[in-house]
Each structure stands twice: as C-alpha cells, then as structure tokens.
Amino acid sequence: MSVGLERQNVIYRDGVHGRAPRVPTDFPSLERAARKVMSRKAWAYVHGGAGIGRTMDANRAAFDRWHIVPRVLRDVSQRDISIDLFGRTLPAPVLLAPVGASELAGPGADVDIASAAAELGVPYIFSNQGCTPMEDSAAAMGSAPRWFQLYWSKDDDLVDSLLARAEAISADAVVVTLDTTMLGWRPEDLNLGSLPFARGQGIAQYTSDPVFRRIVRERVAAAGEKARDEVSVAAVKALVSMTRRFPGRFLDNIRSPEPRAAVETFLDIYSRPSLAWSDIASLRERTSLPVLLKGVLHPDDAVRALDAGVDGLIVSNHGGRQVDGAVSSLDALTDIAPVVGGRMPLILDSGIRTGADVFKALALGASAVTLGRPHLYGLALAGRDGVRDVTANLIAEFDLTLGLSGFTSVAEIDRTALRS
Ligand SMILES: Cc1cc2nc3c(=O)[nH]c(=O)nc-3n(C[C@H](O)[C@H](O)[C@H](O)COP(=O)(O)O)c2cc1C
C-alpha cells in the first residue's frame, strides 16, 4: 500500500477508537494549536519574520499562483516517491530544515527531531545553532542520514573544527548558510527584547567545541578583572540560563566566568559579514563532504556557485526571517532552475506547508524540499511524535497528490503538470 493511504488508514482507524490525531493534519490548525502551547518568546522567535513579514507572505503567495492540472486514467496504483541524493536513496523528496534554538519549542528538541527524522529515514540538517552537540543528535539517529549546517564564523579554526566534527558524525553533506551573516531586523523578537542566544540557548555546537572553548578561555584570561554589570532580576535569570546550558556541573559553572564569556564570544564571532566567494572556493580544501549553499536567490549567484564547484543549492530566503520584501523562494527557483539546467540538485526551502507545495516545487525544478517551521510546531505540540507525524502527514499528502494528479514517480513531474 502507498504511504499516503497507509497514513490515512492509521488516522481513520484511530478515529474509530475515538482518538483524534495529536497534531492537526492541516497547517493553519497546526500553527494555531502550536501557538497556544508556546511561550511568547518562543512564538516570537519561531514564527517571527523580518520587518512586517512581506517575504513570508510572498513565499505563500508564490505557491498559490501555481495550479496543478491533474491527469486521469493513467494507472497510478503503484507509486514510488523515493529520490537519490548525494549517494543515498531517500524515501521521499523531503528533508528537515536546520532550526536553531529549537529547545524553545520543546526540551531535548534536537534529539527528538533527529530521532523522528531517523524513524522516517528523512535527513535532518543539524543547525550550527543547535541546542545539543551534533554528536548527541547523531547518536539518536543510528545510521539514518544527517547533514550539518554551518554558519561561517569569524574564526577559521572554529570553521575547520566544526567541519571535522561533521565528517566524524558521518554527515552526508554540509550546508553553508549565506543569508545570515547578520541577524535580520525581527520586530517580534525585538519588541520583547528577546534573543535566545543571549540566554545561552542555541549555542551547544560552540560550547561543545574544543576550538571554541580555547577561544573562550583565552578571552577570559585576557579580560582579567572586569567591571561589574548592572544587577537586575532579568540579568541574573539570563546568567542562570547560560550557566545551566554550559557543559559541566552547574555549581562549578556558576562560579566560573566561562558560561557568560561563551555567550559573549559566540555573539562576537558566530558569523562573518565579510564572507565572499573566495571563502567558498577554499571550502574544497576544508572538507571532503558535498557542499551546498543555502540562501541563494539570484540566478547569477547560482552560476557562480556552479563555477565555484559547489555540489548543490538550497534556494531559500530563510523563511522570510532575514530580508523583508525579498523575492519568494519559489519565484527564485523558477529563475534559477533554467540556468542550472540540472547540473546540480536544487532544494527548495521556505514556505513548504502541504504535499501540494512539494509537488509544485518539484514541478518547477527542485530535486527536494526542506520543511522548516511546521516540524517545530509538531515538536511544540507532541515532542518527537509530533515531528514525526507532521513530516509523515506532509509526505502522505504529497504521495496522494502525485497519484491523484496522474503521476507515479518523482522523476515524471515537470512543469507541464502546472499552469499559472
Ligand atoms: C526557529 C527557526 C530557527 C532557524 N534556525 C536556522 C539555522 O540555525 N540555520 C539555518 O540555516 N536556517 C535556520 N532557519 C531557517 C530554516 O532552515 C528554513 O530556511 C526556514 O524555516 C524555512 O521557512 P519556513 O519555515 O517558513 O518554511 C531557522 C528557522 C526557524 C523558524
């Protein structure tokens, strides 16, 4: 039986026993339900976008401008939605997008997401801003596929250390995110004065890194006796939060300047606004893993990426979190796909909410898509099972959309399946 029908059967069978799905099966209900269980700061960080949210709106509007034109009488009883990507056969053209500070949506978040992804065989792209060291998330996945997402730090030794760790955890690929060399203007967070990293949330890849820890110790030694900051309840809470998240015993850490210095060091060096194409060229010597660039939106940049020898692109505007009024990722894909002409895989990110969205992205030239906020909403509602169910629902809906549109495999989908 197909994955779509199987998933429907599970849900309807549970219904006979009076059990409703733990996570709603449509995005608007999922989002509403997640909002109810999330704190204000968590909601602001996860839901919020840059400026007045125009890029987020554009991401959705772009999908709505395309319509599927189903074909009939083509025997769609046997369907195969698997794809081959970087030497692996994946069960569906879906990956889980990297999400930093994910513990805002549930404790133990990265491990829960990793383990849910592993159960489905869907790759999880570990964020550089993870709340759990990548080694721990990988340990929860067995041999299931995982990738690593890198923010290129100001410190090249740290970059090399992170890349070496990604190789050591058998990541299938490295994704370098290029659109966040600075944090975008995000009013939902700004209006609460809330930045998770300043509380020590989302810096576990750093505090677990030997190079980063050395940098912190050097900075502590160089700073010597520092002037005392203003003491307030909020500042003490933030210090406790940083200390709790720092490796080692809380009681030892609370007397040490390192947890706070780690946050300050992170804020100082986590990204490099001066990043340029020459840095990308040096990646080939830095890692043997396939390299993808995330955040590419202009066809000329796609061509430069090809020239630089990268292995794939994630066409993305970071879920509208960076530049307000930016091009939608789907429109960018329609510009980029023709110039790339199949010479490297394109993964569409930003705005994927339904199985039909996956279908449209593939029809417009994507090899696969990444699922972002929806999996975090599943996490907020039902932990690991929530991530699994949201992802399985999307894949099921894609499988049914594929068949009901008259197709039996991912390779068959092309632009003729759509009209605008
Ligand atoms: C809470 C949150 C944290 C994120 N953290 C990262 C990150 O650490 N690295 C990264 O490359 N992208 C990050 N992203 C962007 C996602 O990888 C993805 O591009 C985005 O969620 C896609 O948009 P969508 O969720 O609206 O579909 C984050 C997104 C969210 C919602």
Side-chain angles (χ1 to χ4, degrees), residues 7 20-24 30 33-38 104-109 111-113 115-116 119 373-391 393:
R7 183 86 196 122
R22 283 181 76 190
V23 297
L30 172 70
R35 182 173 192 168
K36 283 196 194 131
V37 300
M38 291 169 81
L104 287 167
V111 172
D112 281 348
I113 299 168
S115 129
E119 184 178 333
R373 289 180 177 96
H375 80 75
L376 276 182
Y377 292 150
L379 181 78
L381 284 170
R384 175 196 179 287
D385 292 354
V387 177
R388 180 198 57 207
D389 289 354
V390 164
T391 311
N393 289 346

Side-chain angles (χ1 to χ4, degrees), residues 97-100 127 149 151 177 294 318-319 321 349-351 353 373:
V99 283
S127 166
Q149 174 263 320
Y151 280 128
T177 299
K294 177 169 184 272
H318 212 106
R321 297 161 71 80
D349 169 274
S350 297
R353 301 292 179 261
R373 289 180 177 96

Side-chain angles (χ1 to χ4, degrees), residues 104-267:
L104 287 167
D110 289 336
V111 172
D112 281 348
I113 299 168
S115 129
E119 184 178 333
L120 298 173
V122 164
Y124 178 29
I125 309 175
F126 298 158
S127 166
N128 207 154
Q129 303 313 129
C131 300
T132 306
M134 63 180 103
E135 292 77 9
D136 297 357
S137 299
M141 298 189 83
S143 58
R146 74 293 306 250
W147 295 12
F148 175 66
Q149 174 263 320
L150 176 82
Y151 280 128
W152 201 306
S153 154
K154 287 196 182 87
D155 190 290
D156 273 343
D157 289 344
L158 177 57
V159 170
D160 288 337
S161 177
L162 290 165
L163 289 172
R165 289 170 63 195
E167 288 179 14
I169 60 157
S170 304
D172 283 350
V174 171
V175 170
V176 187
T177 299
L178 302 177
D179 55 21
T180 311
T181 52
M182 294 167 278
L183 210 58
W185 185 256
R186 300 183 187 167
E188 287 193 47
D189 292 325
L190 291 164
N191 290 340
L192 297 175
S194 170
L195 181 67
F197 315 114
R199 300 187 293 269
Q201 294 175 309
I203 63 169
Q205 310 297 10
Y206 299 84
T207 54
S208 58
D209 191 279
V211 171
F212 182 80
R213 292 291 290 275
R214 179 184 36 86
I215 298 169
V216 172
R217 281 194 301 273
E218 285 167 7
R219 288 166 68 114
V220 167
E225 199 54 35
K226 274 188 44 177
R228 278 177 184 281
D229 281 346
E230 177 197 351
V231 177
S232 64
V233 174
V236 171
K237 269 190 178 166
L239 185 63
V240 169
S241 170
M242 292 171 210
T243 308
R244 267 185 43 218
R245 286 169 178 82
F246 198 75
R249 284 182 61 231
F250 180 82
L251 285 178
D252 296 334
N253 287 337
I254 198 77
R255 291 188 206 100
S256 154
E258 278 194 41
R260 207 177 88 162
V263 168
E264 284 164 4
T265 306
F266 161 76
L267 292 172

